[in-house]
Structure formats: structure tokens, C-alpha cells
């Protein structure tokens, strides 16, 4: 097979940032995706409807004139979020979900929730108003090993949460472990999950063997090979609970190549190509369209896209960096090759 045409995909987990970084990266997403769930972890966090709408306008301004890319906005759940905020999100045509970051879990998460019990009334309102909860599922307990943080979050918090709010739509974002895959598979249909390109392509050796490679460092951190294999199996299984979410998270190169480097992989420049390569290796190209273009829309209760994209089997080299002037963003797998290219 040398070309592949599929319904235009959506990215159900994307970091776009603001200012010059936004201008550099948004065109990459808009080339391939029709819609994207935009993460609210700016500084200050996007935690009100007003800030979400302002941010949406900034994104639209940064797009090429003819672009039809549709940013689906999310609000950052904080200890201060009110039931009224939930009602506003439910009523607004541009906002789609709340994102839960346990305080301190990742980039710009200091405003995150410190104790889940405190936000139970908010979750109750989300359940009632059909607003999905998107979760960065990691505990932040200092004594918990970084490679165990997702598994422990599921055991300690998520199982209870799902029982307490049986109707709440939950997306466990960026799965990284076989335990997370098993949890999602064995949960009811209102529990879905996104899977990133980096967690499908790499295990922790890519980050740590032969030298420390900061551009493979993201959160939740990439794990052992058997976890990667479980993720590949889930993504290519055809199970509608699993869908595309890149977690593409651009950082300036000097902030990653640093003695305390930021977490986040930049994959948006070739996101669909990264996924296609994995699906081809698994001989599951026939499952790509559903994972990339149907499952997420169905989960969120949105219409599937009508437009298509075409991919070509074609070997090309990923550039060393993206950006101009003072913006340098090192892409995932910089200087290496990919075997599919968006037409
Ligand atoms: C994200 C970022 O940089 O905003 N980083 C990451 O490693 N994935 C935050 C997040 O999604 O955890
Ligand atoms: Zn993210």
C-alpha cells in the first residue's frame, strides 16, 4: 500500500502554548487535524470561560487565513472551580471539558487540585451537566517512584472516582502502562483514554541508554517495553475506548537541554505519520482511521469529520529543529526518518 486516505483525524490532547510558540506550532496541527482538545495549562492557567475564549481567539488569530482548524477549549480544574463554572462550560459552544492536574504533577500544574475530595461537588455538577473530566493520572506523593505514579493513581484515586461518579465521562490522558490499559478496558463505556505517539514508539531506553536524551522526557514518563507493547496492542485493537491524543508539548530547546529540563515531547509536526508507522508495523492500518478519526469524536458525542487526508508511503528526514529567530523547538526523533508523509 503506497497511499492511504482516511477521514480527517482530531487530536484529543494538545498543548499549543501562546505567543511565538503558538504561532510556530499551530500550523503543524492545523495541517492534519480538524479539531483538537486544547490543554489549559498556561501560566496563569485557563480556569475561567473568559480566559478560555480569549485563548481561543489567540489561537484562531495565529492560524492561516484559510484554515478550518477548530480548537476545542478546556478549563483547568482548580480548588477554586465553582459549580457555576461547570454550568458555563456546559452551556458554551467552545468549551468541552475540564482538565484535572494533581497539584505539582507536571508543567504548570501548581494551580492543580490538592485533594480530590474537595472537588467532589464540582465533579457531581460535571456528571449532571455532561461535561467530561480529563485526567492527568499520576500521584504526586514525593515518596512514590516516578515510574509507578500512574499505576498508583489508578489504585488510590481513579477506581474510587469512577465508582463515586458512575455517569461521569472520564478520559484518562496519555496512558503509559499496561495497568492503565487494563483499567480502561475493564471500565464501563464512559471511561476512555488517549495514547501518544511517543508512548507507542519508545520505551525508557530511548531516553536513557547511551546518554540522557531530554527530548524523550515527558510526563507521564515513558516506561518499560512491556508497557509500550500493551499500549500498541490497545491502540491498534479497534476498541473504541482508545483514541488519538498526541500530548504534543513544545518547549524551547534550552529549557529542555537544561540541568532541570522541562517535560514534554514535540510531535505535532508529524503526529499522524508517527501513528501510521506504528499501525503499519502492527499490520493494523485498517484500524488507524477509527483510532485517529472516529473513537474520540464518538466518545465526546461530536460528529465525525467529513473531510479526508491522504498519507503517502515515503521516507523523509525529520528536521533538526522547528522555529525561527529566538524560537527553537526540537521535534520528536529529530534528524531521524519517518516512513509516511502527509500529502
Ligand atoms: C505537558 C506540558 O509540557 O505542558 N508535558 C508533558 O510532559 N506531557 C504537560 C502534561 O501534559 O503533563
Ligand atoms: Zn499534556
Amino acid at each position: 500500500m503506497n497511499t492511504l486516505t482516511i477521514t480527517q483525524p482530531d487530536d484529543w490532547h494538545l498543548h499549543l502554548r501562546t505567543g511565538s510558540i503558538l504561532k510556530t506550532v499551530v500550523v503543524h496541527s492545523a495541517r492534519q487535524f480538524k479539531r483538537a482538545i486544547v490543554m489549559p495549562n498556561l501560566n496563569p492557567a485557563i480556569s475561567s470561560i473568559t480566559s478560555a475564549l480569549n485563548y481561543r481567539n489567540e489561537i484562531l488569530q495565529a492560524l492561516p487565513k484559510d484554515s478550518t482548524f477548530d480548537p476545542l477549549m478546556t478549563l483547568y480544574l482548580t480548588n477554586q472551580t465553582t459549580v457555576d463554572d461547570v454550568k458555563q462550560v456546559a452551556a458554551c459552544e467552545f468549551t468541552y471539558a475540564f482538565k484535572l492536574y494533581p497539584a505539582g504533577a507536571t508543567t504548570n500544574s501548581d494551580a492543580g487540585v490538592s485533594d480530590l475530595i474537595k472537588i467532589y461537588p464540582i465533579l457531581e455538577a460535571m456528571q449532571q451537566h455532561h461535561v467530561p473530566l480529563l485526567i492527568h493520572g499520576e500521584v504526586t506523593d514525593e515518596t512514590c517512584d516516578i515510574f509507578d505514579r500512574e499505576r498508583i493513581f489508578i489504585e488510590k484515586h481513579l477506581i474510587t472516582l469512577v465508582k463515586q461518579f458512575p455517569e461521569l465521562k472520564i478520559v484518562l490522558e496519555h496512558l503509559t502502562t499496561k495497568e492503565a490499559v487494563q483499567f480502561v478496558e475493564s471500565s464501563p463505556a464512559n471511561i476512555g483514554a488517549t495514547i501518544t505517539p511517543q508512548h507507542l514508539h519508545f520505551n525508557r531506553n530511548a531516553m536513557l541508554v547511551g546518554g540522557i536524551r531530554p527530548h524523550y522526557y515527558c510526563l507521564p514518563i515513558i516506561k518499560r517495553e512491556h508497557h509500550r507493547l500493551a499500549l500498541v496492542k490497545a491502540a491498534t485493537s479497534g476498541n473504541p475506548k482508545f483514541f488519538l491524543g498526541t500530548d504534543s508539548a513544545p518547549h524551547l530547546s534550552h529549557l529542555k537541554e537544561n540541568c532541570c529540563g522541562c517535560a514534554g515531547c514535540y510531535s505535532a509536526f508529524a503526529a499522524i505519520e508517527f501513528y501510521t508507522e506504528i499501525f503499519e508495523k502492527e499490520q493494523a492500518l485498517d484500524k488507524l482511521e477509527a483510532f485517529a478519526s472516529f473513537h474520540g469524536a464518538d466518545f465526546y458525542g461530536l460528529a465525525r469529520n467529513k473531510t479526508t487526508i491522504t498519507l503517502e508511503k515515503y521516507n523523509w528526514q525529520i528536521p533538526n529543529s522547528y522555529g525561527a529567530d529566538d524560537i527553537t523547538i526540537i521535534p520528536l526523533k529529530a534528524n531521524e526518518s519517518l516512513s509516511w508523509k502527509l500529502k
Side-chain angles (χ1 to χ4, degrees):
M1 196 188 283
N2 289 322
T3 66
L4 178 65
T5 297
I6 58 168
T7 301
Q8 191 171 15
D10 302 303
D11 185 348
W12 300 98
H13 185 128
L14 177 64
H15 299 269
L16 285 173
R17 318 302 192 200
T18 57
S20 326
I21 299 188
L22 167 65
K23 288 192 186 117
T24 306
V25 302
V26 72
V27 289
H28 293 162
S29 293
R31 274 177 59 231
Q32 51 196 304
F33 296 112
K34 178 75 179 85
R35 299 170 285 202
I37 281 278
V38 179
M39 289 296 132
N41 64 329
L42 303 185
N43 191 8
I46 302 295
S47 56
S48 70
I49 282 275
T50 314
S51 58
L53 296 183
N54 287 339
Y55 185 28
R56 181 172 179 272
N57 282 334
E58 190 190 345
I59 296 166
L60 295 178
Q61 294 293 319
L63 284 167
K65 290 263 172 309
D66 58 347
S67 176
T68 60
F69 180 70
D70 190 5
L72 313 180
M73 307 311 290
T74 62
L75 260 64
Y76 196 115
L77 204 50
T78 74
N79 292 332
Q80 281 73 46
T81 303
T82 63
V83 168
D84 200 52
D85 291 326
V86 175
K87 288 184 187 161
Q88 286 185 41
V89 165
C92 175
E93 62 180 307
F94 301 122
T95 50
Y96 288 82
F98 278 91
K99 177 72 189 280
L100 169 67
Y101 291 99
T106 186
T107 310
N108 292 340
S109 62
D110 295 346
V113 171
S114 54
D115 184 355
L116 280 174
I117 305 276
K118 286 198 191 137
I119 58 156
Y120 270 24
I122 308 302
L123 300 181
E124 189 69 52
M126 287 171 61
Q127 174 170 259
Q128 190 189 338
H129 294 279
H130 310 292
V131 177
L133 173 68
L134 318 183
I135 301 185
H136 182 113
E138 285 194 291
V139 291
T140 55
D141 174 359
E142 274 180 28
T143 62
C144 183
D145 190 279
I146 190 163
F147 289 96
D148 297 332
R149 289 180 173 204
E150 182 177 87
R151 179 173 59 79
I152 304 289
F153 181 87
I154 294 168
E155 286 169 14
K156 268 179 91 170
H157 301 293
L158 201 50
I159 292 172
T160 319
L161 201 72
V162 169
K163 282 203 188 110
Q164 290 283 334
F165 303 98
E167 311 272 293
L168 180 63
K169 260 191 207 178
I170 297 177
V171 183
L172 186 56
E173 301 289 342
H174 39 52
L175 299 192
T176 65
T177 56
K178 74 170 194 306
E179 288 85 359
V181 167
Q182 282 160 0
F183 170 79
V184 173
E185 281 172 349
S186 62
S187 297
N190 55 313
I191 314 301
T194 53
I195 304 181
T196 78
Q198 64 268 25
H199 294 105
L200 290 174
H201 275 264
F202 307 109
N203 64 42
R204 61 195 196 175
N205 282 10
M207 179 178 58
L208 295 170
V209 169
I212 190 155
R213 295 166 208 275
H215 301 291
Y216 291 83
Y217 174 62
C218 68
L219 289 172
I221 200 156
I222 47 178
K223 303 202 165 59
R224 287 176 179 273
E225 179 65 2
H226 70 271
H227 294 298
R228 187 188 74 82
L229 292 173
L231 295 166
V232 170
K233 200 161 166 233
T236 58
S237 67
N239 184 335
K241 290 167 148 293
F242 300 107
F243 37 92
L244 186 160
T246 62
D247 194 21
S248 177
H251 288 279
L252 295 179
S253 61
H254 73 275
L255 297 177
K256 284 193 66 71
E257 297 165 7
N258 189 294
C259 62
C260 185
C262 298
C265 296
Y266 184 60
S267 63
F269 66 98
I272 193 64
E273 290 97 326
F274 275 111
Y275 287 107
T276 307
E277 209 174 83
I278 287 288
F279 276 69
E280 185 186 35
K281 273 191 200 136
E282 280 308 290
Q283 300 186 330
L285 278 179
D286 60 322
K287 303 278 194 335
L288 178 69
E289 183 180 45
F291 174 80
S293 317
F294 297 161
H295 295 167
D298 296 352
F299 185 89
Y300 276 84
L302 299 172
R304 293 178 179 180
N305 295 325
K306 299 263 190 301
T307 39
T308 59
I309 59 160
T310 297
L311 289 140
E312 256 183 313
K313 182 107 202 214
Y314 169 75
N315 232 63
W316 60 286
Q317 196 184 347
I318 298 172
N320 173 47
S321 71
Y322 286 99
D325 304 325
D326 53 347
I327 303 292
T328 305
I329 297 164
I330 311 290
L332 188 63
K333 249 187 135 189
N335 290 322
E336 292 182 56
S337 64
L338 268 171
S339 54
W340 286 87
K341 187 126 182 63
L342 186 68
K343 254 194 168 167

